[in-house]
Amino acid sequence: MAFRKAVKGTALIGGGAIATVFGLSQFSQYRNKHGALVEVQAAEVVPVKNHLPTREQQILALQTNSEFDVIVIGGGATGCGCALDAATRGLKTALLERYDFSSGTSSRSTKLIHGGVRYLQKAIMKLDFEQYRMVKEALEERAHLLQSAPHLSAPLPIMLPIYKWWQLPYYWIGIKLYDLVAGSQCLKRSYVLTKSRALELFPMLRKDKLVGAIVYYDGQHNDARMNLAIALTAARYGAATANYAEVRGLLKSTDPASGKLRVCGVRCRDVLTGKEFDVRAKCVINATGPFTDSVRKMDDEEVPNICQPSAGVHIVMPGYYSPDNMGLLDPATSDGRVIFFLPWEKMTIAGTTDSPTDVTSHPIPTEEDINFILSEVRNYLGADVEVRRGDVLAAWSGIRPLVTDPNSKDTQSISRNHVVTISDSGLVTIAGGKWTTYRAMARDTIDAAIQEHNLKAGSSKTMGLRLEGGQDWSPTLYIRLVQDYGLESEVAQHLASTYGDKAFEVAKIAQVTGKRWPIVGKRLVSEFPYIEAEVVYGVKEYARTAVDIISRRTRLAFLNVQAAEEALPRIVDIMGKELNWSEQKKKEELETARKFLYYEMGYKVKTDQLTDSSEISLVPSDIERYKKRFHMFDKDKKGFITILDVQRVLESISVQIAENTLHEILNEVDLNKNGQVELNEFLQLMSAIQKGHVSGSRLAVLMKSAEENLRRRAAIPVDRSGGGV
């Protein structure tokens, strides 16, 4: 009863604020819906290419076109969005990306499509209309993004646990305002839960002092695949879209009317072949995220920096840490940052941190950031859920490109909204903003480019435009994949939610398994639904490196670094066949991909948990127990065990494991990489497991299982003789 009274009392407290926001929201809603209808109708008349041009054809188009209307530098969400917006307006468009599409910030997000609850709080508390406008725009774009790629995105309920009674009305007002600002585009209405109901929906939650919870809805998506869908859609609408096309410098010519130097194109280098060539255009757009200032300095070396990069680290943990369809929000961490704890791709993602950083193409997650996230997660999960460091399956760092608006009077203030600037030479720069608002950012950028360079084009046509794979997708599409091709249900669901209506193209090239079931679809690794045919299809989607496949065409590297490493040899073999790689090239790709996993996806900090824990903190009884287990394998008392020792014990208990698998198992523990596991290394492993720093060690499980098996066998003769009676 007290719970309900608190909620009802809150309605009176926040009534005035809600009414004000509701009025503003409905007016803005009407204005934007009216404009959207016009844009959707316009988008329907733009022709679409049925066949995706190859990368070679795209490079040729860049080299042979005398002049484009627009060149976009940067293949993240914003850059690809600009290319799509320009191409659908009928502008001759080129998109250049130095690495792969979404290889930077756009693939390393929290995977949320959201308006920003905390920004709305600031807007109300500080009466900041700009903050309110930003949230309003983001919520409108959230609805668009969910509709434009329904196969890649979906609404997600997020729980806000309440541990103090006074917080209930405070947060309830904020969440209800969030609903109201969204207006008719609210995904689902928020609601209040009692303590018992909250624990029923999120059983891992910390029970003590829990008052109740509030649940609200935001969107979730597969960010790298969404980015790629935008790029592929732009290509189908005629944009010359090329990854691994590096901009080396800007071309300039003298404007006859003004006598000033104006940007008229770029010097481009095909990273894969090393060939350089010029690409000319009436307008060049800088959409390079954290690298915004490096391109601006190509135009003017003296221009002051506007980008203030901030690093955000995320970690991935096993799916059992969270319910299948309920996220968690920590609204006030120890450093004042919001942290999300969300189900994603059947795993659990947690993040993000926020710390100043230098701009780099290869950001690396730190142990400090990983432990900070784990510490915050422990505050919200029950005591019966042991949050172990060893359960971190992957970790990554993304650089958020916060900007200061060069046109504002207060140049020190960081803009949370996006900023479009135009230099004296006509270079158009789009910076700041967030993933959710990529379409609005692109629209504003192309509008500014049209006005500055007198380009002949109408208004934006991307509102309501379906992205690659979304046109004929339906929630039951995967059933047809199972019935028509004989794919496993889990694999079919994955293909449908990754490729949309293009999933049939992947299924068509899937290899026969030779089994009764599934008929087609060989998996890359057993515990994930990725199949070998996706590697072949990934090459058609412009993947040119093994890293492209494990991190962006599939998400293996982001889900489990060890599984990704396990899949690498097969991926390299398939790509080598498709792209005619030499044996030397295949070795280089394998080494580069392993280096990527080691440094950028958290493999190093994962292995360091064992390497750095040289102190063995085991009680004497445990040390003796583990020594006995070790000596069961080290029969000759050498002080170390090799693959031959392990094979001998396994044969004695009639267990067979492939030799290459045994090499992998021992290599996980072999710290000095000398091909053998010393007693000290084994004790370090067991100590790290006890402390929760390491989990899922195959060697530890194998040795324990073998020991138990041998003990049971040794007891049989005694039982048969009736001994002990």
Side-chain angles (χ1 to χ4, degrees):
M1 184 62 72
F3 192 83
R4 288 181 180 173
K5 284 182 178 179
V7 174
K8 288 179 180 177
T10 302
L12 296 173
I13 297 169
I18 290 176
T20 303
V21 172
F22 184 73
L24 287 167
S25 179
Q26 293 308 302
F27 171 73
S28 179
Q29 192 74 37
Y30 168 78
R31 183 189 64 193
N32 284 282
K33 283 185 88 174
H34 177 73
L37 290 173
V38 176
E39 290 169 336
V40 171
Q41 291 171 356
E44 291 172 354
V45 302
V46 180
V48 179
K49 291 184 179 180
N50 290 324
H51 298 287
L52 193 67
T54 65
R55 182 181 179 277
E56 290 69 30
Q57 289 171 331
Q58 299 284 38
I59 291 291
L60 185 62
L62 291 172
Q63 293 173 338
T64 56
N65 270 288
S66 58
E67 186 180 49
F68 289 91
D69 292 315
V70 172
I71 292 175
V72 182
I73 309 173
T78 305
C80 291
C82 287
L84 178 59
D85 190 286
T88 51
R89 298 196 203 199
L91 295 170
K92 188 185 287 188
T93 306
L95 172 64
L96 306 174
E97 163 57 43
R98 175 170 53 175
Y99 299 117
D100 185 31
F101 305 115
S102 196
S103 58
T105 304
S106 296
S107 65
R108 303 170 189 240
S109 73
T110 312
K111 322 303 178 194
L112 282 178
I113 308 170
H114 63 118
V117 175
R118 67 184 185 277
Y119 298 140
L120 182 61
Q121 177 192 25
K122 292 175 183 177
I124 300 300
M125 299 295 288
K126 298 180 180 179
L127 298 177
D128 188 337
F129 184 73
E130 280 301 308
Q131 292 271 15
Y132 164 78
R133 194 167 64 86
M134 183 184 70
V135 175
K136 179 65 182 171
E137 179 180 65
L139 289 171
E140 289 166 357
E141 292 301 319
R142 179 187 70 176
H144 158 73
L145 202 45
L146 288 167
Q147 292 165 4
S148 67
H151 58 300
L152 290 169
S153 58
L156 176 72
I158 300 175
M159 182 181 291
L160 178 61
I162 306 297
Y163 287 94
K164 295 177 181 177
W165 277 103
W166 67 265
Q167 291 178 333
L168 183 64
Y170 177 77
Y171 287 126
W172 186 84
I173 290 175
I175 296 300
K176 279 301 172 186
L177 287 174
Y178 196 59
D179 288 350
L180 283 172
V181 171
S184 62
Q185 293 175 331
C186 178
L187 302 180
K188 289 184 181 180
R189 297 294 173 189
S190 59
Y191 53 91
V192 177
L193 293 173
T194 61
K195 176 180 179 178
S196 60
R197 182 62 178 149
L199 292 171
E200 184 181 333
L201 293 175
F202 208 117
M204 307 84 175
L205 210 55
R206 180 162 61 88
K207 302 177 181 66
D208 57 304
K209 297 183 181 179
L210 182 68
V211 173
I214 299 171
V215 175
Y216 74 99
Y217 286 79
D218 260 325
Q220 188 178 52
H221 68 156
N222 185 336
D223 53 2
R225 290 295 318 184
M226 184 73 80
N227 194 156
L228 184 63
I230 301 166
L232 296 177
T233 308
R236 289 192 188 274
Y237 275 85
T241 307
N243 57 351
Y244 296 102
E246 180 184 14
V247 171
R248 308 279 284 180
L250 301 178
L251 305 178
K252 293 186 178 182
S253 63
T254 304
D255 181 8
S258 64
K260 292 182 179 180
L261 283 176
R262 302 281 285 178
V263 174
C264 64
V266 300
R267 181 68 175 172
C268 181
R269 174 177 171 268
D270 183 345
V271 175
L272 302 182
T273 64
K275 184 177 180 180
E276 292 194 12
F277 51 91
D278 291 340
V279 186
R280 298 190 176 275
K282 296 170 185 173
C283 172
V284 175
I285 294 173
N286 171 18
T288 53
F291 299 95
T292 294
D293 289 321
S294 63
V295 176
R296 291 174 73 240
K297 288 183 186 296
M298 287 181 185
D299 178 38
D300 178 4
E301 292 181 1
E302 302 301 320
V303 72
N305 289 345
I306 61 170
C307 184
Q308 298 190 17
S310 172
V313 170
H314 293 83
I315 63 173
V316 166
M317 306 173 77
Y320 54 70
Y321 274 98
S322 63
D324 291 339
N325 194 38
M326 179 70 75
L328 186 74
L329 168 65
D330 178 356
T333 64
S334 56
D335 72 344
R337 176 81 175 168
V338 169
I339 275 192
F340 290 96
F341 190 65
L342 312 166
W344 183 66
E345 299 287 322
K346 298 186 178 180
M347 295 295 186
T348 302
I349 184 173
T352 175
T353 58
D354 187 11
S355 54
T357 186
D358 295 326
V359 176
T360 173
S361 300
H362 308 287
I364 297 172
T366 66
E367 185 62 27
E368 182 183 0
D369 286 330
I370 292 170
N371 282 323
F372 168 77
I373 296 171
L374 289 173
S375 176
E376 296 298 328
V377 168
R378 289 187 185 101
N379 292 336
Y380 277 87
L381 298 188
D384 54 336
V385 180
E386 184 185 358
V387 180
R388 303 181 300 180
R389 173 61 183 82
D391 282 339
V392 177
L393 304 174
W396 68 87
S397 176
I399 300 177
R400 187 182 181 198
L402 302 175
V403 294
T404 52
D405 186 348
N407 300 319
S408 67
K409 293 179 181 177
D410 179 12
T411 56
Q412 296 304 309
S413 62
I414 295 178
S415 173
R416 297 287 173 177
N417 212 329
H418 61 270
V419 173
V420 180
T421 65
I422 302 173
S423 72
D424 292 340
S425 62
L427 176 68
V428 179
T429 294
I430 171 66
K434 56 197 294 187
W435 223 121
T436 308
T437 59
Y438 89 90
R439 192 206 66 86
M441 294 167 67
R443 176 201 63 207
D444 294 349
T445 305
I446 302 303
D447 283 346
I450 289 171
Q451 184 176 358
E452 173 69 18
H453 294 276
N454 299 314
L455 304 176
K456 294 179 180 179
S459 59
S460 177
K461 298 176 175 64
T462 52
M463 178 63 83
L465 183 70
R466 284 292 175 103
L467 298 178
E468 176 89 351
Q471 192 65 42
D472 297 318
W473 175 87
S474 72
T476 56
L477 182 144
Y478 78 95
I479 297 175
R480 288 170 55 200
L481 291 170
V482 176
Q483 294 175 336
D484 294 352
Y485 295 94
L487 287 159
E488 292 175 85
S489 182
E490 184 188 12
V491 171
Q493 288 176 329
H494 153 67
L495 293 181
S497 65
T498 302
Y499 303 93
D501 59 26
K502 304 299 179 188
F504 295 100
E505 296 182 17
V506 183
K508 285 175 186 175
I509 58 176
Q511 288 184 317
V512 175
T513 63
K515 301 177 183 177
R516 183 184 62 81
W517 191 263
I519 298 171
V520 300
K522 292 183 179 180
R523 295 195 182 206
L524 288 167
V525 281
S526 59
E527 69 267 39
F528 289 95
Y530 302 114
I531 60 175
E532 292 182 357
E534 292 181 77
V535 182
V536 178
Y537 194 76
V539 172
K540 295 181 179 180
E541 293 182 320
Y542 306 137
R544 288 297 179 271
T545 70
V547 172
D548 296 345
I549 295 292
I550 61 174
S551 60
R552 292 174 286 276
R553 302 311 182 280
T554 72
R555 305 313 305 275
L556 258 179
F558 283 78
L559 296 171
N560 190 316
V561 287
Q562 286 184 271
E565 186 185 42
E566 192 177 309
L568 270 176
R570 183 61 186 142
I571 289 171
V572 169
D573 281 343
I574 296 170
M575 292 191 78
K577 186 177 179 181
E578 292 296 312
L579 297 168
N580 298 315
W581 286 348
S582 65
E583 287 302 315
Q584 180 59 33
K585 172 65 175 173
K586 287 162 70 172
K587 286 180 182 178
E588 290 172 0
E589 280 295 321
L590 202 57
E591 183 61 31
T592 300
R594 283 174 173 158
K595 189 175 179 180
F596 167 79
L597 291 173
Y598 188 72
Y599 289 106
E600 294 185 51
M601 301 311 300
Y603 211 159
K604 182 180 186 299
V605 285
K606 184 179 179 66
T607 56
D608 282 351
Q609 291 306 301
L610 183 55
T611 308
D612 293 343
S613 56
S614 55
E615 183 182 342
I616 300 172
S617 56
L618 294 169
V619 298
S621 59
D622 282 340
I623 291 176
E624 285 305 309
R625 178 159 55 95
Y626 294 136
K627 277 184 177 180
K628 286 180 181 178
R629 185 176 299 171
F630 184 84
H631 289 310
M632 288 180 70
F633 286 77
D634 180 23
K635 293 267 187 184
D636 303 327
K637 297 184 180 180
K638 306 182 297 295
F640 61 86
I641 58 176
T642 66
I643 190 171
L644 294 176
D645 296 317
V646 178
Q647 281 178 324
R648 184 180 58 212
V649 174
L650 293 180
E651 285 172 4
S652 71
I653 58 175
S654 302
V655 174
Q656 289 187 339
I657 296 179
E659 188 172 331
N660 61 337
T661 303
L662 284 177
H663 273 298
E664 290 176 8
I665 291 173
L666 259 69
N667 193 50
E668 291 173 6
V669 185
D670 182 12
L671 303 182
N672 53 18
K673 305 303 176 188
N674 62 353
Q676 56 197 37
V677 176
E678 283 87 6
L679 174 60
N680 195 60
E681 288 176 325
F682 179 67
L683 292 177
Q684 279 181 244
L685 169 66
M686 302 314 296
S687 178
I689 289 172
Q690 278 198 9
K691 289 187 285 189
H693 292 165
V694 170
S695 64
S697 168
R698 291 184 286 180
L699 181 65
V701 173
L702 184 67
M703 292 177 72
K704 181 181 180 182
S705 177
E707 180 186 34
E708 291 172 350
N709 208 316
L710 286 169
R711 279 179 180 170
R712 283 196 298 270
R713 290 194 169 201
I716 290 174
V718 180
D719 292 340
R720 284 180 177 173
S721 68
V725 177

